[in-house]
């Protein structure tokens, strides 16, 4: 039976570290770090995520703002809002929750955020810096995944890591971070010919597809570390990941649950990134 990686407990410890830092930062710089979260439209999952992000900011004692814009907000208005926040010396971090309504270009919006306020690490300059190994803001979910893998005590160096999913938000950056830890990395995706043949060899398996039961027990190497980034609703409306938790936890050495695994870590890393942005400025 696998050890459960308790993302909730680990994220709470990180948030408490940040919470302890805030009074020191305020004493030194005369103000608290400030995170601004923007949501466009009514996507129910996004509503929950942004609420949790603002709640975490309140918990750690930083300033936060939540801007709710209607679904039909023109792209130009959103870009103008971002420009205002870029110019606002009291704002340290700007996060635009994705996905955006179809009429708005996500790339344009992400790249409109000042690079040094890009708490998500999605700006093309931050992505470029990550890939060439320069200092940068590292995307929250991938950063949280690495933290969870390290919490198991395994040495990542030399291990075979298989990442399932190639999104810009998770798959690609988590692969780069694993590479930075000297893992041998394979990125699998929807066109991969024989997924099971790859996952069966993985010492570390990160699954970020957004589909239930992509990885089942017969696909996992005994003792592997399995990180489930998925956040789906099953037929009964229950929250579940991309991994068949019940089956895989019989085989894996370590596994993250959903909920209570990667999700809370994303938010804890967002708090850390906001502090980084504050200090950058
Ligand atoms: N949508 C899903 N995950 C994320 C994230 O980490 N940041 C933002 N901005 N949107 C998301």
């Amino acid at each position: 039976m696998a050890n459960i990686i308790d993302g909730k407990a680990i994220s709470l410890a990180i948030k408490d570290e940040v919470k302890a830092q805030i009074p020191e930062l305020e004493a030194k710089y005369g103000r608290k770090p400030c995170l601004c979260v923007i949501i466009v439209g009514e996507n129910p999952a996004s509503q929950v995520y942004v609420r949790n992000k603002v709640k975490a900011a309140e918990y750690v004692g930083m300033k936060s703002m939540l801007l709710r814009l209607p679904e039909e907000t023109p792209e130009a208005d959103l870009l103008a809002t971002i420009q205002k926040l870029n110019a606002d010396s009291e704002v340290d971090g700007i996060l635009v929750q994705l996905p955006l309504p179809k009429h708005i270009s996500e790339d344009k919006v992400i790249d409109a955020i000042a690079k040094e306020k890009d708490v998500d690490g999605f700006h093309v300059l931050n992505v470029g810096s990550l890939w060439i190994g320069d200092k940068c803001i590292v995307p929250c979910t991938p950063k949280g995944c690495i933290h969870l893998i390290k919490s198991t005590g395994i040495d990542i160096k030399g291990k075979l890591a298989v990442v399932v999913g190639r999104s810009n938000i998770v798959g690609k950056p988590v692969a780069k971070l694993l590479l930075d830890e000297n893992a041998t990395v394979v990125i699998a995706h929807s066109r991969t010919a024989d997924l099971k043949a790859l996952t069966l060899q993985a010492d570390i398996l990160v699954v970020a597809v957004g589909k239930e039961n992509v990885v089942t027990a017969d696909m996992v190497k005994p003792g592997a570390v399995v990180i489930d980034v998925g956040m789906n609703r099953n037929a009964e409306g229950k929250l579940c990941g991309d991994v068949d938790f019940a089956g895989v936890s019989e085989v894996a050495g370590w596994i993250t649950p959903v909920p209570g695994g990667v999700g809370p870590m994303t938010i804890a890393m967002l708090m850390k990134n906001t502090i980084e942005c504050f200090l950058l400025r």
Side-chain angles (χ1 to χ4, degrees):
M1 190 71 189
N3 296 289
I4 309 295
I5 307 176
D6 188 347
K8 210 171 160 187
I10 297 169
S11 68
L12 184 60
I14 294 167
K15 283 191 290 184
D16 283 337
E17 264 173 45
V18 173
K19 190 175 180 170
Q21 265 183 299
I22 304 283
E24 295 165 20
L25 294 173
E26 192 181 9
K28 192 165 174 190
Y29 299 102
R31 65 177 188 88
K32 292 175 178 180
C34 172
L35 171 66
C36 182
V37 178
I38 304 175
I39 178 164
V40 186
E42 304 293 333
N43 182 312
S46 293
Q47 296 282 347
V48 175
Y49 298 149
V50 297
R51 212 176 311 127
N52 288 339
K53 288 172 185 181
V54 170
K55 256 181 25 197
E58 283 167 3
Y59 176 82
V60 302
M62 63 175 67
K63 261 182 80 176
S64 62
M65 288 193 254
L66 175 57
L67 298 185
R68 293 176 181 281
L69 303 178
E71 178 84 21
E72 59 280 5
T73 301
E75 183 182 272
D77 288 11
L78 177 57
L79 293 173
T81 302
I82 291 169
Q83 292 306 342
K84 249 190 237 152
L85 294 167
N86 284 343
D88 186 337
S89 61
E90 299 281 308
V91 172
D92 301 290
I94 304 169
L95 181 148
V96 180
Q97 188 64 29
L98 304 177
L100 287 168
K102 289 208 168 22
H103 66 280
I104 300 178
S105 156
E106 290 187 350
D107 288 347
K108 253 197 215 170
V109 167
I110 289 166
D111 291 339
I113 297 170
K115 163 180 154 269
E116 65 280 4
K117 295 191 180 189
D118 170 33
V119 276
D120 264 324
F122 293 167
H123 191 289
V124 68
L125 293 176
N126 276 319
V127 175
S129 292
L130 178 73
W131 281 93
I132 63 169
D134 266 2
K135 202 175 148 39
C136 63
I137 303 293
V138 176
C140 304
T141 302
K143 193 169 168 171
C145 291
I146 300 296
H147 202 100
L148 291 176
I149 296 165
K150 286 186 174 173
S151 78
T152 68
I154 71 146
D155 186 7
I156 300 176
K157 182 177 62 191
K159 297 288 193 304
L160 180 68
V162 174
V163 176
V164 189
R166 54 176 158 179
S167 70
N168 289 334
I169 295 182
V170 185
K172 285 182 216 163
V174 84
K176 176 59 170 70
L177 295 179
L178 285 161
L179 195 59
D180 289 346
E181 298 292 336
N182 297 306
T184 300
V185 184
V186 173
I187 305 179
H189 46 79
S190 53
R191 311 288 168 87
T192 293
D194 189 350
L195 180 62
K196 182 175 169 180
L198 293 172
T199 58
L200 267 175
Q201 296 177 64
D203 304 302
I204 299 166
L205 184 55
V206 180
V207 191
V209 174
K211 216 167 92 187
E212 205 185 332
N213 292 330
V214 171
V215 170
T216 46
D218 57 313
M219 298 167 76
V220 175
K221 179 177 174 177
V225 176
V226 179
I227 305 293
D228 188 352
V229 186
M231 189 79 85
N232 315 297
R233 295 260 170 208
N234 65 14
E236 294 106 60
K238 247 184 80 185
L239 216 52
C240 66
D242 293 348
V243 174
D244 168 30
F245 182 84
V248 172
S249 55
E250 299 286 334
V251 183
W254 297 84
I255 187 168
T256 58
V258 177
V262 173
M265 289 302 286
T266 297
I267 294 180
M269 293 302 153
L270 174 64
M271 299 301 108
K272 274 177 92 81
N273 280 359
T274 306
I275 303 279
E276 267 188 48
C277 288
F278 174 86
L279 291 172
L280 269 179
R281 302 177 55 244

